[in-house]
Amino acid sequence: MSSFQTLFTKMEDHTLIITINRPDKLNALNQQVMKDLDAVMDRVYKFPEIKSVVITGAGLKSFVAGADIKEFESLSKEEATALAKRGQDVFFKIENSPKPVIACVNGFALGGGCELAMACHFIIASESAVFGQPEVNLGIMVGYGGSQRLTQRVGKGRAMELVITGKTINATQAMNYGLVNYVVPQTELLDKAFSKLRVTHERAPLSVGGEVKVPAHVYWGAQTQRSIDNFKIAQDINRMPKEIIKAFAYLKKAAALTNMDAGVLPKEKSDLIGQVCDEIIAGKLDDQFPLVVWQTGSGTQSNMNLNEVIAYRAHVIKGGSLSDKEKFLHPNDDVNKSQSSNDTFPTAMHIAAYQILTETTIPGITALKNTLEAKSKEFMHIVKIGRTHFMDATPLTLGQEISGYVSQLSHGLKAIHNTLAHLSELALGGTAVGTGINTPKDYSVNVAKHIAKLTGLPFITAENKFEALAAHDAIVESHGALKTVAVSLMKIANDVRMLSSGPRSGIGEIFIPDNEPGSSIMPGKVNPTQSEALTMIAAQVMGNDVAINIGGSMGHFELNVFKPVMIYNFLHSARLIGDGCVSFNEKCAVGLAPIEANINKHVNNSLMLVTALNTKIGYYKAAEIAQKAHKEGTTLKEMAVKLGYVTPEEFDAWVIPKDMVGL
């Protein structure tokens, strides 16, 4: 059980029971009731384990506020306005909840309390309950929709009677008016609620292939439920990515607009489809998309998941019930009009891929590149020893070394940008095999324009729909660029962790931030954790590329049937790279600093400075100096003078590390 300031909640058999305490002071506490209810309803929408809701009062003795009319009339106009507006926002969430909400009323349900009860899908009242909806404070409650639900439930005449006269009615009268669904003894309120929920927890919509039992509180239908039942594969970890669901919402809205423009879909239906799509894009219906990646290779079941949720949610918005046999919108005939899974899923793939690259991946890489570019300029004067084959080489500057990383990332960004043109081509309008059967004239061009306008991205219709359905070379090409970036990041992150190794018994030439303790047993140890995370990301992206390459090769005849796994891995890679670069940048790259004492020590101890003598005494004599100095443990200068190949003055004039870096 969790508590808020004005209510308690607990779960029982997948039902959230919300118990509202009776406020002693209506004004202040009723505001808090609405605030707390708002927070709880957000959880109802978010968590799929909550399948239904029961709202009642403390100890079943009251509902919201056991208040009399005088308390309402005591509010100022401003207080009443604020209370009414907050209340209406909460009531909207309750009445539009995808899960059944039952009100159990035992006591007074007046004004806002009555309004809250009416926002619920069912009202069960005890024999002693009292209801009323008085008009107070110059009609504030009415002005914010306070009488609209009452009118819908009891009719205009009775609603006006209750509102204007301030009349209150008992539970039996309320049921006769149509305001209350059931009247039971006070001790049976919750039992009746749970009995009602057991009946509504399943429904059986008709579909091609026969009847399928579907949970009563969900917006999906038979096609979605069959996929849930038939593909019980990693359902807890491998759901269809939200980016694809959002992309589908864009294309479904665009298709509805295009069909309306073409005169094949009424405006009311188009508007409802668009309204639900906006809810999906906003993330309000995330729990209505339970399907996994491991399904049909065309993504048909996810397409139908969208069609069903849009159709049935729209029906509820229009005032219908999920249990209605006939719905205002049909998933196939209306929501899927002029479409096929074969062209919608690849369209969603391209929308999702383009969006994540431009919104997450490219900005993340760019941020890291910019930081490294600034570090390169800052450290351009710091001469350090170079290394090839993990062995000493000739000097360069730390800035030059980092400039190589900058160039890698710049080329990677260019490669990604070069793939966007192909990703901007959309398959929508090709329908089943690319011919565009069952679409209005100019549909493919117009629907792409709508998608471009809705997303703010330069999408166009694909020049060749047969390629767009049967092959996914654009995804393969674009992920190839991501793999290239992953290769670059592997090199960069490895260099950073090796250059920072030690700090006293390794290379130790650069400092990296101490973000967290590195060992549970070795005190004070700090590890290059950001490098480790980034290199693991790089390895994952390279693995994802293998799956995408295999998937891309599975375009048999007119349709590729590896679509879900291809886009799943693509989105995984794109997000990992974008987020990984941001993390590495903020927690490591920004804090990189040279340890100049170690850098200078390594430069002065390096045998490869002898390379500067090649043009003075020849390669073989220079090699002899290096080999004997290493064997005998002397410096290069000491050995060069000992062998008689140079004088001390010549060595100092010719072997100058800063003159060896090409600046």
Side-chain angles (χ1 to χ4, degrees), residues 427-444:
L428 203 57
T431 61
V433 297
T435 61
I437 188 173
N438 291 347
T439 60
K441 183 181 179 182
D442 297 326
Y443 173 83
S444 60

Side-chain angles (χ1 to χ4, degrees), residues 42-291:
D42 284 341
R43 299 183 187 184
V44 171
Y45 274 78
K46 182 178 180 181
F47 295 116
E49 59 267 25
I50 301 175
K51 298 186 182 300
S52 52
V53 181
V54 172
I55 302 179
T56 185
L60 300 181
K61 293 179 180 178
S62 65
F63 185 79
V64 185
D68 59 36
I69 299 173
K70 291 181 180 179
E71 289 182 275
F72 283 96
E73 293 175 337
S74 68
L75 301 180
S76 68
K77 181 177 180 181
E78 291 74 19
E79 290 171 332
T81 300
L83 178 59
K85 186 177 187 308
R86 178 180 285 278
Q88 291 306 320
D89 292 340
V90 177
F91 302 153
F92 179 83
K93 284 187 180 180
I94 293 173
E95 68 185 352
N96 287 282
S97 168
K99 301 157 186 183
V101 183
I102 293 181
C104 289
V105 183
N106 182 52
F108 291 101
L110 304 176
C114 184
E115 185 77 3
L116 173 54
M118 289 189 296
C120 298
H121 303 152
F122 301 97
I123 301 177
I124 302 173
S126 75
E127 296 164 334
S128 59
V130 176
F131 294 83
Q133 182 75 320
E135 180 182 12
V136 293
N137 287 293
L138 305 178
I140 292 298
M141 295 297 292
V142 176
Y144 274 96
S147 64
Q148 294 175 5
R149 293 181 185 85
L150 189 63
T151 300
Q152 291 172 355
R153 280 185 176 264
V154 305
K156 186 175 182 180
R158 285 176 169 171
M160 293 300 292
E161 175 189 355
L162 292 173
V163 170
I164 294 176
T165 66
K167 177 181 178 181
T168 60
I169 55 177
N170 62 34
T172 302
Q173 291 173 313
M175 189 167 71
N176 292 335
Y177 275 32
L179 178 59
V180 170
N181 300 100
Y182 303 100
V183 176
V184 298
Q186 183 269 330
T187 56
E188 298 178 14
L189 272 175
L190 285 181
D191 288 341
K192 182 63 177 178
F194 275 92
S195 174
K196 178 64 180 174
L197 288 172
R198 280 192 289 273
V199 174
T200 61
H201 272 179
E202 286 188 336
R203 69 182 197 275
L206 291 175
S207 71
V208 177
E211 209 172 71
V212 178
K213 287 188 176 180
V214 178
H217 67 281
V218 301
Y219 286 124
W220 68 71
Q223 292 267 45
T224 303
Q225 191 62 44
R226 281 198 185 92
S227 186
I228 293 172
D229 297 340
N230 292 337
F231 298 98
K232 295 181 179 180
I233 307 169
Q235 290 184 332
D236 57 333
I237 60 172
N238 285 165
R239 289 193 175 186
M240 191 63 66
K242 290 181 180 179
E243 294 89 349
I244 283 291
I245 304 303
K246 181 179 177 181
F248 257 112
Y250 279 118
L251 75 88
K252 293 293 179 182
K253 182 175 183 178
L257 291 169
T258 307
N259 285 323
M260 181 188 68
D261 294 341
V264 297
L265 185 71
K267 184 179 186 303
E268 185 179 10
K269 290 187 173 183
S270 176
D271 289 346
L272 276 171
I273 291 172
Q275 183 177 346
V276 179
C277 288
D278 288 341
E279 290 184 352
I280 294 170
I281 292 168
K284 295 180 179 179
L285 300 175
D286 283 352
D287 63 347
Q288 299 300 309
F289 303 101
L291 301 190

Side-chain angles (χ1 to χ4, degrees), residues 310-625:
I310 292 169
Y312 301 156
R313 170 66 181 145
H315 183 70
V316 171
I317 290 175
K318 187 170 169 58
S321 169
L322 286 172
S323 61
D324 293 342
K325 185 175 180 180
E326 297 294 330
K327 306 290 197 300
F328 181 69
L329 285 177
H330 193 282
N332 296 82
D333 296 336
D334 296 317
V335 185
N336 201 60
K337 183 180 286 292
S338 308
Q339 303 154 60
S340 161
S341 299
N342 297 352
D343 66 349
T344 57
F345 202 92
T347 297
M349 290 170 69
H350 280 213
I351 294 172
Y354 202 114
Q355 284 184 317
I356 199 167
L357 289 178
T358 55
E359 294 173 5
T360 301
T361 314
I362 292 173
I365 300 170
T366 301
L368 178 57
K369 178 190 77 73
N370 291 343
T371 294
L372 293 176
E373 190 169 21
K375 294 291 182 181
S376 174
K377 294 176 181 177
E378 181 183 355
F379 305 150
M380 193 58 71
H381 68 287
I382 299 175
V383 178
K384 67 183 293 288
I385 201 65
R387 295 176 179 86
T388 59
H389 305 273
F390 273 82
M391 308 300 282
D392 294 355
T394 56
L396 77 166
T397 71
L398 182 57
Q400 288 173 321
E401 191 168 45
I402 295 175
S403 75
Y405 311 156
V406 176
S407 182
Q408 283 185 281
L409 295 181
S410 295
H411 284 295
L413 284 168
K414 183 178 180 181
I416 294 172
H417 279 288
N418 287 342
T419 70
L420 293 179
H422 200 175
L423 286 176
S424 71
E425 296 184 15
L426 302 181
L428 203 57
T431 61
V433 297
T435 61
I437 188 173
N438 291 347
T439 60
K441 183 181 179 182
D442 297 326
Y443 173 83
S444 60
V445 173
N446 293 332
V447 76
K449 289 179 180 178
H450 276 298
I451 293 173
K453 184 176 180 180
L454 291 172
T455 61
L457 297 171
F459 291 115
I460 59 173
T461 189
E463 183 178 352
N464 188 298
K465 303 298 189 300
F466 307 103
E467 181 266 349
L469 271 62
H472 293 308
D473 294 348
I475 295 292
V476 174
E477 176 191 12
S478 189
H479 196 273
L482 293 179
K483 180 192 68 175
T484 301
V485 172
V487 170
S488 298
L489 293 175
M490 180 74 84
K491 183 263 193 296
I492 294 167
N494 274 331
D495 275 11
V496 168
R497 67 169 156 186
M498 287 186 285
L499 288 171
S500 65
S501 63
R504 295 190 176 183
S505 299
I507 295 175
E509 291 186 347
I510 61 173
F511 165 83
I512 59 173
D514 302 342
N515 293 324
E516 66 276 309
S519 173
S520 62
I521 190 172
M522 293 175 280
K525 193 172 190 295
V526 176
N527 294 329
T529 53
Q530 289 296 321
S531 286
E532 291 166 359
L534 195 58
T535 51
M536 286 192 287
I537 286 171
Q540 182 64 59
V541 172
M542 294 177 203
N544 289 348
D545 194 61
V546 174
I548 287 175
N549 290 338
I550 294 172
S553 69
M554 294 294 158
H556 302 147
F557 302 117
E558 278 65 60
L559 188 68
N560 179 290
V561 290
F562 271 57
K563 302 181 194 298
V565 73
M566 291 184 72
I567 194 58
Y568 175 79
N569 281 284
F570 186 100
L571 295 171
H572 190 203
S573 294
R575 181 162 299 282
L576 283 177
I577 288 177
D579 290 352
C581 283
V582 169
S583 179
F584 188 82
N585 178 54
E586 294 178 353
K587 300 298 182 179
C588 183
V590 169
L592 287 180
I595 304 175
E596 296 195 51
N598 286 347
I599 289 175
N600 292 333
K601 180 180 70 175
H602 293 154
V603 169
N604 294 332
N605 284 341
S606 175
L607 298 174
M608 289 304 100
L609 295 181
V610 78
T611 306
L613 296 178
N614 282 359
T615 59
K616 307 297 183 181
I617 63 175
Y619 177 89
Y620 289 108
K621 289 181 179 179
E624 182 184 1
I625 293 171

